[in-house]
């Protein structure tokens, strides 16, 4: 075989192996992984039936993710930023294309260095966020605030975009006032629906809401001692589950948690912050789901929640993204194949040269 043909053949194989591995790991792998996910179907078992004649199939499809932690200019290495942001962008855009959510919630810690970024760096981070999580007008994006976005002093719990900490600071006083008003309006709406006789005493001037327990979205989990009771493939590592949580740092305080439960009696709480999955039942009747981090930087198997929500019920399912270890394994396998191909090529060329040498030597002797 002519030498130039061998070189072209080797080059073609190299391009095929390298290009195939790159295309699979950086684009294709997200499609079969997320394609396996499906919107959960609502059953009547979890709800109390139709509300005001609204059918159970009038559902909203919500995608819930958390803790993207876009790396900043201070502690973020350029390659780490490139790798993590590309992973999240491809996963998010693929999920939008395949699943078509009506609304997307991100439960805080959008940025990793928001609490100390300069104005210029902050604007750059925000620009990158809008590029990564771009979406059409058919999908609404709702972003909650986390401690890495603005700092640790305040515990932000968003119930219709309000926050709570409770340490007497001016903003916390106004927030608690708004929470109490919202709680009153929700309770009055529920009582009015149940009585069927119009506005109840003490509810004059209240704003009417759908008469159903709310779904509470927040960054911090409600108070729990640890993750010892958490299970599943996205739970914290076994050696970390028994570590005690600190109030107002890892979880909300007991006081703030009980206030929220008493005020709103939520049918579901969705939270982030811990970077791991967990299911907790507060007071034996209020379920909370901790949503794991969306980034490979925080865990090998990121995931997000798919929620189908109706006026009186809801259903959840979890969608896992490709594992980083799988991608690394594919690249390592491709590298091993290239190494073997290179060695085989060298051995083949060495054998060919030896054969030519022997032929030339034989001709020389015959002469």
């Amino acid at each position: 075989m002519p030498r130039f043909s061998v070189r072209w053949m080797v080059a073609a194989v190299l391009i095929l192996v390298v290009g195939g591995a790159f295309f699979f790991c950086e684009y294709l792998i997200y499609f079969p992984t997320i394609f396996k996910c499906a919107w959960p179907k609502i059953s009547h078992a979890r709800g109390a039936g139709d509300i005001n004649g609204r059918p159970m199939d009038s559902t909203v499809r919500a995608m819930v993710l958390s803790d993207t932690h876009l790396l900043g200019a201070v502690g973020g290495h350029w390659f780490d930023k490139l790798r993590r942001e590309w992973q999240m962008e491809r996963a998010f855009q693929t999920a939008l294309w395949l699943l078509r959510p009506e609304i997307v919630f991100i439960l805080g810690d959008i940025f990793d260095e928001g609490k100390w970024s300069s104005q210029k760096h902050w604007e750059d981070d925000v620009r990158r966020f809008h590029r990564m999580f771009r979406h059409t007008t058919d999908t609404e994006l709702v972003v909650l605030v986390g401690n890495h976005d603005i700092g640790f002093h305040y515990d932000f719990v968003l119930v219709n975009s309000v926050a709570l900490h409770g340490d007497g600071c001016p903003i916390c006083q106004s927030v608690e006032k708004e929470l109490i008003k919202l709680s009153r309006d929700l309770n009055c709406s529920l009582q009015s629906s149940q009585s069927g006789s119009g506005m109840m005493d003490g509810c004059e001037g209240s704003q009417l809401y759908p008469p159903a327990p709310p779904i509470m979205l927040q960054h911090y989990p409600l108070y729990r001692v640890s993750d010892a009771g958490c299970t599943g493939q996205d739970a914290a590592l076994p050696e970390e589950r028994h570590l005690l949580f600190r109030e107002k740092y890892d979880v909300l305080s007991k006081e703030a948690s009980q206030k929220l439960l008493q005020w709103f009696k939520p049918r579901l709480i969705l939270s982030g912050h811990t970077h791991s999955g967990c299911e907790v039942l507060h007071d034996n009747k209020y379920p909370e789901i901790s949503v794991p981090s969306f980034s490979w930087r925080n865990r090998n198997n990121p995931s997000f929640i798919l929620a189908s929500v109706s006026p009186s019920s809801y259903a959840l399912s979890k969608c896992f993204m490709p594992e980083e270890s799988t991608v690394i394994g594919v690249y390592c396998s491709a590298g091993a194949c290239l190494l073997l191909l290179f060695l085989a090529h060298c051995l083949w060329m060495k054998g060919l040269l030896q054969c030519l040498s022997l032929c030339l030597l034989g001709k020389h002797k015959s002469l």
Side-chain angles (χ1 to χ4, degrees):
M1 181 180 295
R3 191 170 180 179
F4 73 89
S5 299
V6 174
R7 289 181 175 178
W8 278 110
M9 181 181 296
V10 172
V13 173
L14 288 174
I15 293 173
L16 183 63
V17 173
V18 174
F22 180 83
F23 181 73
F24 175 78
C25 291
E26 306 304 330
Y27 290 94
L28 188 61
I29 192 173
Y30 295 98
F31 286 90
T33 305
I34 297 178
F35 186 75
K36 294 185 296 184
C37 304
W39 291 102
K41 295 182 179 180
I42 293 179
S43 66
H44 287 268
R46 195 186 290 271
D50 297 347
I51 292 181
N52 293 340
R54 293 181 65 181
M56 290 295 296
D57 59 358
S58 63
T59 61
V60 173
R61 292 181 169 183
M63 175 179 167
V64 185
L65 56 106
S66 185
D67 292 85
T68 53
H69 283 272
L70 271 68
L71 297 176
V74 177
H77 188 273
W78 69 268
F79 182 77
D80 198 12
K81 290 168 64 174
L82 175 66
R83 190 77 197 97
R84 311 311 180 189
E85 292 182 10
W86 176 256
Q87 166 255 322
M88 288 189 286
E89 179 177 351
R90 293 318 316 151
F92 184 76
Q93 295 301 326
T94 303
L96 287 189
W97 190 75
L98 291 176
L99 300 172
R100 306 287 183 180
E102 297 170 73
I103 187 167
V104 177
F105 293 101
I106 305 182
L107 303 183
D109 277 2
I110 311 302
F111 308 104
D112 197 57
E113 300 175 359
K115 56 186 177 181
W116 60 63
S117 286
S118 66
Q119 184 64 32
K120 180 180 181 301
H121 291 154
W122 172 258
E123 291 173 356
D124 179 64
D125 292 344
V126 171
R127 177 186 56 78
R128 287 175 12 244
F129 168 78
H130 284 300
R131 185 199 72 234
M132 293 166 56
F133 295 93
R134 61 190 179 275
H135 54 91
T136 64
T137 55
D138 296 334
T139 301
E140 182 179 357
L141 180 64
V142 178
V143 178
L144 282 68
V145 178
N147 55 284
H148 274 267
D149 300 316
I150 60 170
F152 268 102
H153 178 67
Y154 304 120
D155 293 334
F156 276 76
V157 181
L158 275 82
V159 181
N160 286 350
S161 300
V162 293
L164 176 68
H165 182 73
D167 65 351
C169 67
I171 190 175
C172 297
Q173 293 174 355
S174 63
V175 162
E176 184 163 336
K177 181 179 178 181
E178 289 297 323
L179 282 173
I180 293 173
K181 180 182 182 302
L182 178 61
S183 172
R184 173 177 172 269
D185 291 347
L186 289 171
N187 289 328
C188 286
S189 299
L190 185 60
Q191 293 173 13
S192 176
S193 173
Q194 291 174 345
S195 67
S197 57
M199 194 67 69
M200 304 291 291
D201 293 337
C203 291
E204 294 79 6
S206 297
Q207 181 175 346
L208 290 179
Y209 290 97
I215 293 177
M216 195 160 69
L217 301 171
Q218 58 192 48
H219 178 65
Y220 283 96
L222 295 181
Y223 176 79
R224 61 177 183 259
V225 175
S226 68
D227 271 352
C230 304
T231 58
Q233 65 186 99
D234 58 357
L237 297 175
E239 61 269 20
E240 298 177 354
R241 294 180 194 177
H242 293 276
L243 298 177
L244 299 181
F245 284 146
R246 294 162 290 180
E247 294 185 57
K248 302 182 182 181
Y249 191 89
D250 299 310
V251 292
L252 284 177
S253 67
K254 292 181 183 178
E255 180 184 3
S257 300
Q258 284 302 311
K259 280 184 178 180
L260 287 170
L261 293 177
Q262 292 170 7
W263 286 341
F264 299 108
K265 300 176 175 57
R267 51 175 158 158
L268 174 66
I269 306 114
L270 294 171
S271 61
H273 186 63
T274 66
H275 298 173
S276 300
C278 190
E279 296 186 19
V280 182
L281 189 63
H282 298 281
D283 297 342
N284 294 318
K285 54 184 174 181
Y286 303 117
E288 177 181 5
I289 308 294
S290 290
V291 183
S293 173
F294 194 67
S295 173
W296 274 345
R297 193 168 189 259
N298 297 319
R299 59 182 310 108
N300 180 52
N301 59 340
S303 63
F304 55 89
I305 296 288
L306 295 176
S308 298
V309 182
S310 77
S312 64
S313 187
Y314 68 87
L316 306 177
S317 66
K318 188 164 289 187
C319 184
F320 284 89
M321 292 183 287
E323 296 185 357
E324 186 176 32
S325 57
T326 301
V327 173
I328 294 174
V330 172
Y331 277 128
C332 289
S333 299
C337 289
L338 291 177
L339 180 60
L340 292 174
L341 179 64
F342 177 75
L343 292 175
H345 176 67
C346 290
L347 292 174
W348 185 83
M349 290 300 296
K350 182 179 180 181
L352 181 61
L353 290 174
Q354 288 179 346
C355 182
L356 291 174
S357 298
L358 289 174
C359 290
L360 292 174
L361 183 61
K363 289 182 179 180
H364 179 73
K365 288 182 178 181
S366 63
L367 292 173

